[in-house]
Amino acid sequence: SGTGSLQPSARAIGASQQFQLVDESAAYWHGVVALQSLGSHHYVTADPLGASPLAANKASTVGPNELFQWIDNGDGTISLRSLANHLAVTVASSGPNYLLTTNLNPGLRESFVLGSSDSKSH
């Protein structure tokens, strides 16, 4: 949904899989971004304790819980590290496929390929 927990389950890019990158480098440091859902216009929020899935549920006022460090992995993928808890965004290893912040060091489960709405594949 537009404001629910984020699940990496779609095979095609639709409105609920698209996010605008909001550059927050001026207020923090180079490579800090917020992710705003194009469907709901809410910002993605990370739980400071890393216990709950990421959710697109913040309507305004971007703060540390809505900020991520953009990491270029050098292999065509990126990783995101939450400023809320300094943990990398990962796909849950068990249970529902939610996006969480649970790992300190990015690895395969924390690497994402970027796509665009005009791409045939991603």
Side-chain angles (χ1 to χ4, degrees):
S1 69
T3 59
S5 298
L6 301 184
Q7 293 181 299
S9 58
R11 300 244 179 241
I13 297 173
S16 63
Q17 290 81 33
Q18 295 181 50
F19 295 87
Q20 176 179 343
L21 290 174
V22 180
D23 185 3
E24 294 290 336
S25 296
Y28 292 89
W29 62 83
H30 178 73
V32 174
V33 298
L35 303 170
Q36 185 178 31
S37 168
L38 291 183
S40 69
H41 303 288
H42 285 83
Y43 291 93
V44 173
T45 300
D47 177 7
L49 300 177
S52 299
L54 298 182
N57 61 2
K58 185 73 181 251
S60 63
T61 315
V62 175
N65 294 354
E66 293 76 43
L67 296 173
F68 299 88
Q69 179 184 8
W70 178 282
I71 302 166
D72 183 343
N73 294 325
D75 61 0
T77 67
I78 62 107
S79 294
L80 298 169
R81 182 180 308 280
S82 171
L83 268 62
N85 55 29
H86 307 289
L87 298 174
V89 174
T90 186
V91 177
S93 58
S94 63
N97 285 333
Y98 289 115
L99 293 176
L100 302 163
T101 55
T102 58
N103 294 329
L104 185 58
N105 296 313
L108 183 60
R109 295 184 70 81
E110 296 80 32
S111 297
F112 299 90
V113 176
L114 300 178
S116 66
S117 60
D118 60 353
S119 295
K120 300 241 187 284
S121 64
H122 56 285

